Structures are given as structure tokens and as C-alpha cells.
Amino acid sequence: MTDTAGTTGTTLDLGPQTEALAQLVAGVTDEQLPDPTPCPAYEVRHLLGHLAGLTVAFRDAARKDLGATTDTSPDSALPDLAPGWREELPKILAELAEAWRDPAAWTGMTRAGGVDLPGEIAGLVVTDELVIHGWDLARATGQSYAPDPAALRTCHDFLAASVDDPGRGAIFGPVVAVEPGAPLLDRAVGLSGRDPGWTRTP
């Protein structure tokens, strides 16, 4: 993460993380779409649909292209897959990364999920989404997962800073305790309210 013009602005290249996520998407089989995930309300198909929706929303948030894609709450309906998702999701993940490479994306105000927020915070939120949902997808589909180290560190620090926020319950579940010496990904997953030991139901 590098400083941009200004004392508070930061940027992070999301390309390595979106590429890691695209590889996971490519590894999902049709037979796995109805399988459970660490997100209790989501099957794999719903998780992929959520990823598609948030990717478009935060791509447009970075561009300050505000409208229907940035105004819709992610809780408005159970997400599902659209036709052509295998080709479309990697494409919009790449577009997301490119949009956030513009330092202007990290400045000023924008909107995502119907919430107005500073660009820098939106960038941190989407980093968290990409890292944690990558873990969700990997666990649900039995794939190995190596998130981008810079994105993982940013995600962990973002989640750690939210622990004492009284409003975090609307977004994250209760923190799951993890040993201090656990891998950074396990600590981030625990901070997000997930059990790092979650496994697929046999």
C-alpha cells in the first residue's frame, strides 16, 4: 500500500487479489453450485452471485459512476448467478482492479450498497470483501487459497480496527477467537466473524 497525494490517501493494487479470486471461480464445478458455504444463507451459487454484484458496485464506486449498481443494498434480495457468469465474473474482476488503480478512486466521496462513504474507505471495504469471500469460496469448493499478501494485510488491519465499532454487528458476525500465533488469514477470518476451521459438510 502506497501513499498518494495527500496525507491520508492510500492506494492498493487489487489486481493480484482479483486474479487469485478469478482462479478460484474457474475451479468451481457446476455440481458444487448448490453446496453450502461459510456464509450461512448462501450456497456456492449465491456467493458467486454476491461476488458478481459487489464487483460491479465497487467498480462503479471507484469510477464515481453512481446509479442503480451502487444504490442497491446487498441485502435487498438473495443473490444468484446470471447466464454467462463464468466468462463475466473474471472480466468484471479485472475491470474492478483497473478502476481502483486510479488514485482518484481513493479520494472524495462515493457510494456502494446504497451507503455514501469516502473513497478510501470504499477501497478498504472492497479489499476485505475480495479477501474474505475468496476464503469462503475456497473452503466451500475445496480449493487451496493464497490471497495477495498486501490485500490480506490491508483486510486484517481494516477488520482489526472495526472490533470496537458498535456498528460492526450490522456487517460482521461476532469475532471468533483465534490463537495470536495463527496465520494472518485465519486471524482475518476470525475477525470477520467466521470460524477458520469451517469445513464442507461431508
Side-chain angles (χ1 to χ4, degrees):
M1 192 156 53
T2 57
D3 289 339
T4 66
T7 57
T8 60
T10 55
T11 65
L12 172 72
D13 183 2
L14 296 179
Q17 181 57 31
T18 58
E19 290 168 9
L21 194 46
Q23 290 179 6
L24 292 174
V25 170
V28 177
T29 67
D30 289 344
E31 292 74 21
Q32 291 173 323
L33 293 178
D35 287 353
T37 75
C39 306
Y42 284 0
E43 297 174 357
V44 170
R45 65 182 308 113
H46 303 131
L47 177 57
L48 288 166
H50 176 64
L51 280 167
L54 77 86
T55 299
V56 169
F58 280 94
R59 177 200 66 191
D60 292 348
R63 296 171 176 173
K64 309 297 196 292
D65 183 11
L66 309 184
T69 60
T70 61
D71 291 350
T72 303
S73 168
D75 300 323
S76 60
L78 188 65
D80 207 344
L81 290 172
W85 64 272
R86 287 191 182 277
E87 296 75 30
E88 185 65 15
L89 188 46
K91 175 176 174 285
I92 57 176
L93 282 166
E95 291 173 351
L96 170 76
E98 185 60 30
W100 283 98
R101 288 190 179 107
D102 183 352
W106 300 80
T107 63
M109 293 296 294
T110 191
R111 185 183 308 133
V115 177
D116 292 323
L117 69 173
E120 182 178 357
I121 299 302
L124 297 176
V125 171
V126 72
T127 303
D128 164 68
E129 293 277 347
L130 294 170
V131 171
I132 298 300
H133 284 319
W135 179 86
D136 290 332
L137 186 60
R139 281 302 175 97
T141 58
Q143 299 186 67
S144 60
Y145 178 46
D148 171 57
L152 174 57
R153 170 57 64 183
T154 298
C155 168
H156 173 273
D157 293 350
F158 171 71
L159 290 167
S162 77
V163 168
D164 296 323
D165 184 345
R168 69 162 269 140
I171 305 173
F172 307 113
V175 171
V176 175
V178 177
E179 290 293 329
L184 187 62
L185 179 57
D186 286 0
R187 285 181 275 152
V189 167
L191 288 170
S192 77
R194 292 159 170 78
D195 179 1
W198 188 94
T199 57
R200 295 177 295 168
T201 302

